[in-house]
Amino acid sequence: MELINIQKHLLKKSQQDKLIKEQKQLQEYTRYLEESEDELRAFRHDYRNMFNSLKISAQEGDTKELIQKLDEYTKTNLNAKAFEKYRDVNHIKVKSLKSIIIAKLTEMYGSKIPYNFECRDDITKIPNNINELDLVRIIGISCDNAIEESKALSKQNKKAHIEIMISSNEDGEFEYEIQNKRRDSEISLKQIQQRGYSTKKSHSGMGLANINSIKNKYENMTISYEIPKGYFDFYLVIEPEELINS
């Protein structure tokens, strides 16, 4: 009984720590939105004044001076990198999905890993038969793998980069893709999906094997891996269940 109580206490503490971490990330995202809105409002106001002051240069045909001044002003008054930090995240309306994306983009930004996130469609739901937590786990694992590889590249003083895309069409098809630069080494697609395989020391190597276990639960979920030169590409598609059954 004492052991059970200890386990319950540890589980409760773990859940509390997770909630606190998620809350901090959401607070940071909210603060980012507020700061970006204020920054853009001030920038727009200053731009109006600048245009008025540069009308003479434009009228006299000195466009080179005009463009140079505008370029210099933009660089000094807008933190482009910070402004792009959570770009397109506002299109994700599924809370669990939004939380994991915010968490992973925050980690990439904090680790100074160059990345690009794209979500042009409003993601209001995922296909009905998919457990949200399963999808969150898949996205979490794939992002963790990309982050780990990017950190390894950085240690070798090589350029890292991560590209992430999420989309959903009118039929309800859901797509997720993450691509990251990788180290120059031979990779076997079959081997990396095996349970226990890892390129990292003291690592269980369960990531992609766990993803495959989740995928096998769903007929309408397809996952593919590709290794174009210098990159690793993870691609997931979830079709609406009604299309599978029709």
Side-chain angles (χ1 to χ4, degrees):
M1 286 296 294
E2 186 178 352
L3 181 60
I4 290 171
N5 287 331
I6 291 171
Q7 287 176 334
K8 284 182 178 178
H9 176 73
L10 290 173
L11 181 60
K12 188 175 180 181
K13 186 179 184 305
S14 175
Q15 290 172 334
Q16 288 174 343
D17 290 343
K18 184 180 178 183
L19 286 172
I20 291 170
K21 185 178 180 181
E22 288 177 352
Q23 186 180 21
K24 285 181 178 179
Q25 288 165 346
L26 289 173
Q27 286 174 344
E28 182 182 348
Y29 176 60
T30 303
R31 186 171 63 251
Y32 158 81
L33 291 177
E34 291 171 350
E35 290 174 354
S36 296
E37 185 179 356
D38 291 340
E39 189 176 2
L40 276 175
R41 191 181 293 114
F43 185 70
R44 186 173 57 197
H45 178 266
D46 290 346
Y47 238 58
R48 286 199 197 103
N49 293 333
M50 258 201 82
F51 273 118
N52 288 329
S53 67
L54 292 173
K55 276 181 181 178
I56 296 175
S57 295
Q59 288 168 355
E60 292 178 352
D62 195 354
T63 54
K64 185 177 181 181
E65 180 191 1
L66 177 63
I67 292 170
Q68 185 179 351
K69 286 184 178 180
L70 287 175
D71 186 50
E72 289 173 359
Y73 184 79
T74 303
K75 287 177 180 177
T76 56
N77 287 274
L78 270 184
N79 185 346
K81 188 177 179 182
F83 185 67
E84 294 288 308
K85 186 176 180 180
Y86 295 115
R87 190 189 67 180
D88 283 358
V89 171
N90 60 302
H91 290 295
I92 303 177
K93 313 299 182 183
V94 181
K95 290 182 180 179
S96 58
L97 196 58
K98 189 169 192 167
S99 293
I100 189 66
I101 292 298
I102 289 173
K104 296 309 172 185
L105 294 186
T106 301
E107 185 174 354
M108 292 173 198
Y109 187 85
S111 301
K112 296 181 180 179
I113 298 170
Y115 66 87
N116 179 55
F117 175 75
E118 181 178 306
C119 180
R120 302 296 170 85
D121 311 305
D122 282 347
I123 311 295
T124 57
K125 62 179 182 178
I126 59 174
N128 294 331
N129 71 314
I130 302 295
N131 186 311
E132 279 186 28
L133 293 181
D134 282 340
L135 184 57
V136 166
R137 284 182 65 199
I138 289 173
I139 290 175
I141 292 170
S142 61
C143 283
D144 287 341
N145 288 343
I147 290 169
E148 286 290 341
E149 186 66 13
S150 297
K151 288 179 178 178
L153 276 172
S154 297
K155 286 182 180 178
Q156 295 179 355
N157 294 319
K158 294 181 179 178
K159 288 184 178 180
H161 189 76
I162 298 174
E163 291 276 345
I164 306 173
M165 180 278 298
I166 293 179
S167 69
S168 180
N169 62 26
E170 293 179 357
D171 295 328
E173 183 180 80
F174 178 90
E175 289 182 87
Y176 163 75
E177 183 174 19
I178 180 167
Q179 185 181 83
N180 63 275
K181 294 194 75 171
R182 62 178 176 85
R183 289 166 289 179
D184 296 325
S185 59
E186 292 295 324
I187 296 178
S188 165
L189 288 177
K190 184 177 180 180
Q191 190 178 24
I192 62 175
Q193 297 176 62
Q194 293 175 353
R195 192 169 296 274
Y197 175 80
S198 175
T199 58
K200 293 168 278 192
K201 293 180 179 179
S202 303
H203 194 274
S204 61
M206 302 286 277
L208 295 184
N210 283 343
I211 286 178
N212 285 338
S213 296
I214 296 171
K215 181 197 71 173
N216 292 336
K217 293 163 58 176
Y218 303 103
E219 289 185 5
N220 58 327
M221 181 184 289
T222 304
I223 292 176
S224 63
Y225 309 93
E226 291 185 8
I227 45 174
K229 188 175 181 181
Y231 285 88
F232 180 82
D233 188 87
F234 177 96
Y235 182 61
L236 173 147
V237 178
I238 304 174
E239 296 182 25
E241 199 175 14
E242 47 271 26
L243 291 181
I244 294 291
N245 297 328
S246 60

